[in-house]
């Protein structure tokens, strides 16, 4: 019996029935067809192209995002994911031959990808279109049935996606489920074949615990304190501009936003001066994204009152829901500002003696989702890449390393597990099945025990 989904909370029975319905659809085999996958990806491309204005309006309603920011940060990346998957789908889905040793001959071996089945994507509020539809592109390319749970904290986007997705994508195999915490909790009670969750580490642990009950594999895209390093070999003016832009874009409410800056002593004064100038005129970036709610505004305001450093550029809440950016110089390392992810337009700057001191500072903390290095020196780059561990690294710019379908996106340690985007996303939502085939026509008796002494010597020789 078909289920009518409405933007109300689901209970556990409804969630289980929904998954059962999708399993029935998946069992027909329709989603495994490459032609079906192509149609869904083409539908996703049309959805994004034909409804950019409506999606931008919803993003403005929920978050106050400017239209061009919506295109660059929310529309263009999933569009690129779908196009890239469509272009490469045939090659990704091919069998991969495996070498067979002489002792196994005659035989052929290979691996072949197959869809995992019914997967769940739980998206956050900060990039509610991107983080619903980019994983969807990967899951569809792999041939899965999908449930997407948009964030209830972006209700306009959630409602638009719930209305548009069934128009462009197979409504029997892909469902948008609206609702809040109760709905998410109910969905996590069901057995899935894969779960991709983007959000906080606290909720990530809940998702992981729920998945463990069913031994469900998960991809967790979490956050953390992503550092930026500024060395004596950096172009200070460009570095300050790019850091200021990155920190005010989306009001700093991005999991890969630079959370703090470590600057080498010789360029500290010049960098702080340049950064203050950039942040002081940050309104020229025409950024109007609001802080998501009053609780987070209060949290950010509290961070500004107790950090033990110098407030070089004063920031704080505005009457329109936005937050004026702030620069904090040399905050207390034990303060909340330096212990918790800021997730807002506040940028602490900490002086370090040299690059090695910066690396030691980073390595004493949890592994970040992103790390940024500003330096023109190849030796600085090599040192940072070999001596630090992070989900990704951006050299001399910010965010761009997360926007290429060719590059996997994912964290490590506290910043997450698993990855997606491009071929990696296809593989995340696929199972690579191993196959070996031997003909039945050749079945000599000496291939079975008990083995003669001659056969034992031959087998040992062939196994070398």
């Amino acid at each position: 019996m078909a289920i009518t989904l409405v933007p109300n909370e689901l209970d556990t029975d409804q969630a289980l029935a929904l998954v059962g319905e999708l399993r029935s659809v998946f069992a027909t085999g329709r989603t495994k067809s490459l032609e079906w996958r192509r149609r869904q990806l083409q539908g996703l491309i049309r959805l994004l192209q034909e409804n950019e204005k409506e999606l931008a309006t919803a993003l403005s309603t929920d978050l106050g995002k400017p239209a061009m920011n919506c295109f660059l940060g929310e529309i263009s990346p999933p569009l690129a994911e779908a196009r890239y998957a469509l272009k490469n789908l045939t090659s990704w889905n091919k069998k991969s031959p495996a070498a067979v040793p002489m002792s196994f001959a005659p035989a052929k071996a290979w691996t072949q990808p197959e869809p995992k089945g019914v997967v769940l994507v739980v998206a956050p509020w900060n990039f509610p279109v991107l983080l619903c539809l980019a994983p969807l592109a990967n899951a569809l390319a792999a041939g899965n049935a999908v449930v997407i749970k948009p964030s209830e904290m972006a209700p306009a986007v959630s409602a638009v996606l719930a209305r548009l997705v069934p128009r462009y994508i197979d409504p029997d195999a892909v469902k948008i489920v609206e609702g809040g915490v109760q709905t998410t909790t109910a969905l996590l009670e069901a057995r899935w074949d894969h779960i991709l969750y983007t959000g906080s580490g606290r909720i990530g642990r809940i998702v992981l615990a729920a998945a463990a009950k069913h031994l469900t594999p998960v991809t967790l895209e979490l956050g953390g304190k992503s550092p930026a390093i500024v060395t004596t070999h950096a172009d200070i003016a460009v570095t300050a501009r790019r850091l200021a832009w990155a920190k005010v874009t989306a009001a700093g409410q991005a999991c890969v936003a630079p959370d703090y800056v470590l600057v080498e002593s010789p360029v500290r004064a010049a960098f702080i001066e340049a950064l203050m100038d950039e942040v002081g005129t940050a309104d020229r970036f025409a950024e109007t994204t609001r802080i998501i709610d009053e609780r987070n505004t209060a949290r950010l305001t509290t961070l500004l009152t107790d950090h033990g450093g110098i407030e070089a550029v004063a920031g704080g809440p505005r009457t329109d829901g936005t937050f004026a950016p702030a620069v904090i110089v040399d905050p207390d390392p034990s303060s909340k500002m330096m212990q918790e992810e800021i997730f807002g337009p506040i940028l602490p700057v900490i002086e370090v003696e040299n690059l090695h001191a910066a690396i030691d500072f980073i390595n004493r903390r949890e592994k970040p989702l992103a790390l940024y290095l500003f330096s023109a020196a190849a030796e600085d780059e090599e040192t940072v890449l070999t001596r630090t561990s992070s989900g990704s690294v951006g050299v001399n710019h910010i965010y761009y390393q997360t926007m290429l379908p060719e590059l996997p996106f994912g964290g490590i340690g506290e910043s997450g597990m698993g990855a997606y985007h491009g071929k990696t996303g296809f593989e995340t939502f696929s199972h690579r099945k191993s196959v070996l085939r031997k003909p039945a026509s050749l079945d000599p008796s000496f291939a079975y025990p008990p083995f003669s002494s001659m056969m034992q010597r031959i087998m040992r020789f062939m196994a070398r």
Side-chain angles (χ1 to χ4, degrees):
M1 181 177 66
I3 299 169
T4 302
L5 298 178
V6 295
N8 297 320
E9 301 291 348
L10 259 66
D11 60 28
T12 301
D13 289 342
Q14 290 173 312
L16 295 175
L18 171 63
V19 176
E21 180 182 337
L22 288 173
R23 289 202 182 281
S24 296
V25 173
F26 182 75
T28 67
R30 65 198 274 183
T31 69
K32 295 182 179 181
S33 157
L34 290 188
E35 183 54 38
W36 181 90
R37 303 185 204 188
R38 292 190 184 98
R39 288 198 305 272
Q40 310 319 307
L41 291 168
Q42 290 163 351
L44 180 55
I45 290 169
R46 292 197 309 275
L47 185 159
L48 290 162
Q49 290 176 329
E50 296 173 9
N51 299 280
E52 179 186 338
K53 289 184 178 179
E54 186 171 0
L55 290 167
T57 298
L59 287 162
S60 178
T61 299
D62 287 334
L63 298 164
K65 289 191 176 187
M68 195 59 193
N69 283 24
C70 295
F71 173 76
L72 293 174
E74 300 266 13
I75 306 297
S76 180
L79 195 56
E81 284 288 343
R83 286 170 170 164
Y84 189 70
L86 196 58
K87 177 182 177 181
N88 293 282
L89 184 58
T90 300
S91 63
W92 290 351
N93 204 58
K94 284 183 178 179
K95 298 176 181 179
S96 298
V100 177
M102 187 168 56
S103 57
F104 284 32
K108 288 187 176 181
W110 67 90
T111 62
Q112 61 186 59
E114 64 180 15
K116 285 187 174 178
V118 181
V119 304
L120 172 66
V121 174
V122 182
W125 54 264
N126 57 329
F127 287 86
V129 174
L130 166 66
L131 297 175
C132 280
L133 299 188
L136 176 62
N138 293 166
L140 290 173
N144 295 279
V146 189
V147 170
I148 299 176
K149 168 58 179 67
S151 173
E152 69 278 10
M153 296 177 71
V157 170
S158 179
V160 169
L161 290 177
R163 181 165 48 81
L164 291 179
V165 168
R167 294 183 185 178
Y168 292 86
I169 298 171
D170 186 341
D172 294 325
V174 177
K175 303 287 187 181
I176 301 282
V177 178
E178 296 188 87
V181 174
Q182 178 182 317
T183 292
T184 304
T185 301
L187 290 170
L188 291 175
E189 287 295 320
R191 181 178 66 83
W192 303 89
D193 297 301
H194 196 96
I195 298 174
L196 188 150
Y197 166 79
T198 305
S200 71
R202 180 179 65 85
I203 303 301
R205 286 175 167 81
I206 294 173
V207 172
L208 188 59
K213 296 177 183 177
H214 303 289
L215 297 180
T216 297
V218 299
T219 301
L220 299 179
E221 300 300 344
L222 310 177
K225 297 186 74 63
S226 295
I229 303 172
V230 180
T231 77
T232 56
H233 301 109
D235 183 315
I236 296 301
V238 171
T239 298
R241 184 180 311 118
R242 291 178 177 179
L243 280 165
W245 164 77
K247 199 58 176 174
V248 300
T249 295
Q253 299 171 121
C255 57
V256 289
D259 207 82
Y260 63 94
V261 181
L262 301 170
V263 57
E264 287 190 296
S265 297
V267 293
R268 173 186 184 273
F271 171 72
I272 290 175
E273 182 180 359
L275 183 63
M276 289 170 62
D277 288 344
E278 291 291 341
V279 171
T281 59
D283 284 346
R284 74 184 187 282
F285 294 127
E287 176 57 59
T288 56
T289 300
R290 297 187 296 270
I291 303 301
I292 185 62
D293 57 20
E294 293 181 0
R295 180 180 65 83
N296 277 281
T297 299
R299 179 184 60 82
L300 292 170
T301 304
T302 299
L303 292 181
L304 289 177
T305 62
D306 184 22
H307 50 71
I310 301 170
E311 195 166 353
V313 175
R318 300 186 179 113
T319 56
D320 62 356
T322 62
F323 199 96
V327 174
I328 308 299
V329 178
D330 291 329
D332 184 343
S334 65
S335 65
K336 282 189 175 182
M337 181 175 290
M338 291 306 300
Q339 296 297 317
E340 301 175 0
E341 184 177 11
I342 293 173
F343 219 69
I346 302 172
L347 187 57
V349 178
I350 300 169
E351 180 182 5
V352 291
E353 183 179 354
N354 51 41
L355 178 59
H356 297 290
I359 289 171
D360 290 342
F361 188 98
I362 292 167
N363 287 343
R364 289 196 299 270
R365 287 154 178 79
E366 298 290 351
K367 296 177 180 181
L369 184 57
L371 185 153
Y372 301 104
L373 169 67
F374 290 87
S375 174
E379 59 268 29
D380 288 351
E381 179 179 327
E382 182 64 19
T383 298
V384 168
L385 292 178
T386 56
R387 288 194 53 200
T388 64
S389 180
S390 59
S392 67
V393 177
V395 181
N396 291 321
H397 220 316
I398 297 171
Y399 296 151
Y400 283 83
Q401 84 281 4
T402 70
M403 299 170 69
L404 295 180
E406 291 88 346
L407 288 179
F409 175 70
I412 181 172
E414 284 286 317
S415 60
M417 62 176 66
Y420 68 113
H421 287 189
K423 186 177 182 181
T424 299
F426 174 86
E427 292 173 344
T428 287
F429 290 106
S430 300
H431 166 64
R432 186 157 285 279
K433 182 163 55 181
S434 299
V435 183
L436 183 140
R437 182 178 65 221
K438 282 181 67 69
S441 56
L442 293 174
D443 194 41
S445 59
F446 58 75
Y448 297 91
F451 301 116
S452 67
S453 58
M454 175 64 73
M455 191 60 194
Q456 291 182 42
R457 287 195 296 271
I458 292 173
M459 292 172 70
R460 288 180 182 277
F461 175 79
M462 295 176 67
R464 289 177 182 176

